[in-house]
Amino acid sequence: MASPTINAASQAGVAETNRSRIMRHLYRNGVSSRAQIATALGLTPAAITKITAQLIEAHAIEETGDLDGKKNRRSIGLALDTAHFHVIGVKFARSLVQIGVFDLTGNQSSLTTLPYVSNDTIGETIATVHSTIEQLLHDDPTIVAIGMAVPGPYLRNNGHTAVVSSMQGWRAINFIDEFANSFTVPVFIEQDARAGVLANSLFDPNSNGEPNLAYYLVGEGVGLGVIDHGRIINGALGTATEIGHVSIDVNGKPCDCGNIGCLERYCSTPAIHQMLIDNGTIVNGADSMSHTEACRALFALAHHGDEAALAMIRTIGTYLGYGCLIIFNTFNPHTIVIGDIVSEAGQPLLDEIKRTVRQRAIPEIYESTTIRLTTMPTDATVLGAAAVAINYLLDHPSDFFSFN
């Protein structure tokens, strides 16, 4: 016979799961009646009445007024007040750190880009992150959580990034020790590409809650976040899906991770920047630019038809196509979304990626997989950092609201 303690714990777990399911239903579907929620979730009207009463009392959801019901009956609408709750998203991307404030639907109310980060200024940047967040919390009492997106491979249990190509100083930062208990609201830390796939799943209408989705991050690093049948793939240490450190050339360029010919060495913004410096003729003054500035200068030239710039973008697209093939054959997602700075190269890049994949992929997999550039108006990683916090709130409402 189960003990009273076990029974109580089990009942509390069921109650929390049902609160989460109701909040997620309202998050995805907007205003709904109790009867609509009961039908959608397979719960009894009595259970819905009890749980929604708790959620209303805790100010997690609110009544919105009358709705038209079946047979001309009136019912009362319920909604999650997504605009009332705010979260902070922090993107750490080697030389680029951004801090944004968002509501629960991903609408951005502010975005701060910190000064360019070098190995010598990482300590100053960390201090600025602390002070900026403290000021945001002081100014906005509706902020309930902070999400952080950090470069992978991120060892989630000990707080370190195992390898940070081109800027090893970040390896000395323990994100858990530095931030987890530093503020008056909870902090959630995730690998950047996994944060990005969460953002696409939650906020991008083109993804529409796609249960088999890959987010291919191509910025200062190259990363991958994968949702497989509705669940994020993490791995034993949290370092799964590290596509940037898969070799595409066994005789290629050495990487800081110890491997040879890593994908990241051929199509990340530092790699593209170095290509431009080595070339010396495509982007004038590339050696005095940041990685992002150099890449955007290249993309602007290509947009205006510069043949040398277009040729370089096609080369980059070929490498990214190799990465897509790895994603195809390893994870078989329905959709691959390519995002971050390199995706700004636009259609010429996407055309070359698809051409490379079409030549080399198993036809049935190619025909059933969509490859597209991100359509999100906000950078998916900083928004993804916010999504990490929002996702936790929706999954664990009792950590944010008091229920009797």
Side-chain angles (χ1 to χ4, degrees):
M1 183 182 222
S3 70
T5 301
I6 293 174
N7 283 333
S10 176
Q11 290 171 3
V14 170
E16 179 75 340
T17 297
N18 286 333
R19 284 191 288 263
S20 172
R21 292 176 69 202
I22 290 171
M23 290 181 68
R24 281 197 174 274
H25 175 86
L26 294 172
Y27 188 85
R28 288 284 187 196
N29 298 283
V31 176
S32 303
S33 69
R34 290 170 175 81
Q36 289 170 331
I37 298 170
T39 300
L41 302 184
L43 296 173
T44 65
I48 290 295
T49 297
K50 178 180 178 180
I51 299 168
T52 55
Q54 294 173 338
L55 290 167
I56 291 169
E57 185 178 357
H59 303 290
I61 67 174
E62 60 183 358
E63 293 186 331
T64 62
D66 289 345
L67 296 174
D68 290 330
K70 292 182 179 179
K71 299 180 181 179
N72 294 320
R73 293 174 182 167
R74 306 297 290 179
S75 58
I76 297 174
L78 299 174
L80 183 65
D81 187 357
T82 54
H84 180 71
F85 303 106
H86 288 170
V87 298
I88 293 173
V90 185
K91 170 184 176 175
F92 292 93
R94 298 167 174 82
S95 66
L96 175 67
V97 175
Q98 293 180 309
I99 304 174
V101 177
F102 303 86
D103 68 17
L104 297 192
T105 58
N107 291 316
Q108 176 187 301
S109 57
S110 70
L111 182 67
T112 301
T113 299
L114 272 56
Y116 182 85
V117 186
S118 68
N119 266 317
D120 295 332
T121 62
I122 289 174
E124 295 173 29
T125 299
I126 293 296
T128 303
V129 171
H130 276 278
S131 61
T132 302
I133 290 175
E134 289 287 3
Q135 188 63 52
L136 289 170
L137 291 171
H138 177 269
D139 294 343
D140 186 353
T142 68
I143 294 172
V144 295
I146 300 164
M148 295 184 170
V150 303
Y154 177 62
L155 305 171
R156 64 169 62 245
N157 293 327
N158 69 21
H160 286 287
T161 294
V163 178
V164 187
S165 304
S166 78
M167 198 176 289
Q168 291 295 320
W170 281 110
R171 294 181 65 183
I173 302 300
N174 186 305
F175 290 95
I176 293 175
D177 290 349
E178 192 68 55
F179 296 112
N181 298 305
S182 296
F183 308 105
T184 55
V185 299
V187 177
F188 307 99
I189 304 167
E190 183 56 275
Q191 180 250 32
D192 49 11
R194 274 196 278 281
V197 79
L198 264 180
N200 279 272
S201 178
L202 284 179
F203 307 130
D204 186 353
N206 293 302
S207 296
N208 197 27
E210 167 63 55
N212 294 282
L213 177 68
Y215 177 67
Y216 191 2
L217 179 154
V218 195
E220 295 212 352
V222 175
L224 179 68
V226 177
I227 294 177
D228 180 62
H229 290 84
R231 292 184 175 273
I232 290 184
I233 295 175
N234 290 304
L237 300 177
T239 63
T241 68
E242 278 299 330
I243 195 172
H245 294 291
V246 173
S247 179
I248 59 169
D249 182 357
V250 295
N251 298 307
K253 301 174 183 178
C255 181
D256 290 341
C257 74
N259 197 5
I260 299 293
C262 287
L263 178 63
E264 192 169 282
R265 296 287 285 113
Y266 298 86
C267 52
S268 63
T269 59
I272 297 169
H273 193 184
Q274 190 60 53
M275 290 165 61
L276 290 169
I277 292 171
D278 292 344
N279 177 279
T281 60
I282 298 177
V283 173
N284 293 326
D287 55 348
S288 64
M289 297 179 180
S290 69
H291 301 322
T292 299
E293 290 168 344
C295 287
R296 286 177 172 158
L298 172 69
F299 304 156
L301 288 170
H303 178 72
H304 288 95
D306 184 283
E307 284 300 327
L310 285 166
M312 184 172 285
I313 284 174
R314 285 192 288 270
T315 298
I316 297 162
T318 299
Y319 292 131
L320 289 176
Y322 297 157
C324 279
L325 287 164
I326 296 167
I327 299 169
F328 269 41
N329 295 326
T330 307
F331 303 106
N332 183 212
H334 180 268
T335 302
I336 298 173
V337 178
I338 301 165
D340 217 288
I341 295 164
V342 178
S343 70
E344 296 174 16
Q347 196 62 43
L349 180 78
L350 183 61
D351 289 344
E352 188 62 28
I353 291 170
K354 289 184 174 181
R355 188 192 68 79
T356 301
V357 175
R358 186 169 56 249
Q359 287 181 342
R360 294 165 173 79
I362 297 168
E364 290 85 350
I365 301 177
Y366 179 79
E367 294 299 329
S368 65
T369 308
T370 298
I371 305 173
R372 63 176 178 84
L373 301 176
T374 183
T375 55
M376 296 178 65
T378 304
D379 179 276
T381 305
V382 68
L383 184 53
V388 171
I390 293 166
N391 196 58
Y392 194 92
L393 181 150
L394 295 173
D395 278 347
H396 304 89
S398 64
D399 286 2
F400 298 86
F401 307 101
S402 298
F403 299 104
N404 295 324

